[in-house]
Amino acid sequence: MPSETAPASPGLPLIDIRGLRGADPVAQRAVADQLRQACLNHGFFYVTHHGIDAALIAQVFAASQRFFDLGMDDKLAVDKRLSPCNRGYEPLKAQTLESGAPPDLKESFYIGAEVPPDDPRVQAGRFNTGPNQWPAALPDFAPVMTRYHAAALALGETLMRGLALSLDLPPDHFDAYLEDPSATLRLLHYPPQPANPQPGEKGCGAHTDFGGITLLLQDDAGGLQVWDSQQRHWIDAPPVPGAFVVNIGDLLARWTNDRYVSTLHRVINLSGRERYSVPFFFTGNLQHRVECLPTCLAPGEAPKYPAVTVEEHQIACYRRTYG
Ligand SMILES: O=C(O)CCC(=O)C(=O)O
Ligand SMILES: [Fe+2]
């Protein structure tokens, strides 16, 4: 596992996506070209002018903080272990994102699309599909998170259309993947990094994200680091007010035969205070088969990854990080 840390340097591209949200194909193309460069070089970039209301984002952070401030009894009333579809609260040190490292110093709350227990998809046992668990003590929590989940889903769809264009595909290329998409909104709370951590202990161990793309909101504490495989060091991805950090997940790496990089990242909360972040994992249609795109194979080049359904891939990733 890489270990050197470089001096702070943002180094990641900042992309204004207004052109992608409008109807002008020339403006869409211009954004797609920037997405392409960012995905080829880093797999990580900032997105501005994304159209999600700043007030809604502030409400998400406020509700998240109120939830993590609850007493442990209230939090454990919505324990993720009570949910057949991985929704709800997860205590500190429950997940190990970096294989071989100590468990992550973060507590979290998982939210997904609300699917009633009698829905055929739930009856069929589809992965991570079902009802949410909501904290009874916080009446505003569910409506805020539900609004944000819908807004982030729409932004994810816009970006996926831009990514299709960036790969010289028609903008609707991923439409079957975007149909009935699975997507996980996760609230994260990191205590300050301890003064005497275990070797390798950190907020969130080095990992790549499992799905298509991740849309991340972070507060102003900092601590997110991204592996730069060319320079072989970690670069900081500091908070940029009003911007999302967007990164490519493993499914896009599989589609593109690693031309688009699913980049290692980690969190070390050295701010001396609590850190809150909100990743939104755009997973996509669970039954969709992901295989190498024809535009991502040079003559004679073989696909590096076998075809897999999104659901098979997700199940394997959860198993790996939850032991
Ligand atoms: O908290 C962050 O900034 C990043 C979290 C992350 O990488 C993840 O949950 O996959
Ligand atoms: Fe991540």
Side-chain angles (χ1 to χ4, degrees), residues 58-68 138 140-141 144-145:
Q59 286 169 357
V60 168
F61 275 103
S64 170
Q65 188 161 348
R66 277 198 296 274
F67 174 78
F68 289 116
L138 301 175
D140 289 349
F141 186 92
V144 165
M145 297 308 165

Side-chain angles (χ1 to χ4, degrees), residues 149-198:
H149 191 280
L153 204 58
L155 174 57
E157 286 165 4
T158 299
L159 285 167
M160 285 302 300
R161 284 197 293 278
L163 288 169
L165 272 175
S166 82
L167 289 161
D168 297 323
L169 297 164
D172 62 1
H173 180 84
F174 291 120
D175 276 10
Y177 167 77
L178 299 179
E179 178 87 25
D180 184 24
S182 177
T184 299
L185 168 57
R186 195 173 183 194
L187 311 175
L188 295 173
H189 170 222
Y190 299 85
Q193 177 77 353
N196 296 303
Q198 310 266 324

Side-chain angles (χ1 to χ4, degrees), residues 242-313:
F244 279 84
V245 176
V246 175
N247 64 287
I248 294 307
D250 297 344
L251 295 179
L252 265 155
R254 296 178 84 104
W255 265 314
T256 64
N257 225 25
D258 281 339
R259 282 168 176 56
Y260 281 12
V261 202
S262 182
T263 299
L264 276 175
H265 53 286
R266 67 183 188 181
V267 175
I268 308 177
N269 177 17
L270 296 171
S271 65
R273 54 196 163 87
E274 315 297 307
R275 176 180 191 268
Y276 297 86
S277 70
V278 185
F280 179 86
F281 301 103
F282 195 104
T283 305
N285 184 296
L286 289 167
Q287 286 164 326
H288 193 72
R289 252 169 83 86
V290 174
E291 56 192 325
C292 187
L293 295 163
T295 53
C296 294
L297 279 182
E301 182 181 345
K304 291 185 189 173
Y305 305 100
V308 72
T309 68
V310 172
E311 186 171 48
E312 288 161 352
H313 175 73

Side-chain angles (χ1 to χ4, degrees), residues 1-63:
M1 193 51 61
S3 62
E4 300 144 67
T5 304
S9 126
L12 297 172
L14 194 76
I15 305 179
D16 174 342
I17 62 160
R18 259 174 300 188
L20 195 57
R21 294 168 50 223
D24 172 9
V26 176
Q28 290 176 352
R29 180 81 251 164
V31 176
D33 289 344
Q34 292 180 68
L35 291 174
R36 179 177 179 82
Q37 280 317 309
C39 293
L40 290 172
N41 293 330
H42 296 284
F44 260 85
F45 47 96
Y46 293 92
V47 158
T48 67
H49 299 89
H50 43 72
I52 298 190
D53 186 10
L56 176 58
I57 291 174
Q59 286 169 357
V60 168
F61 275 103

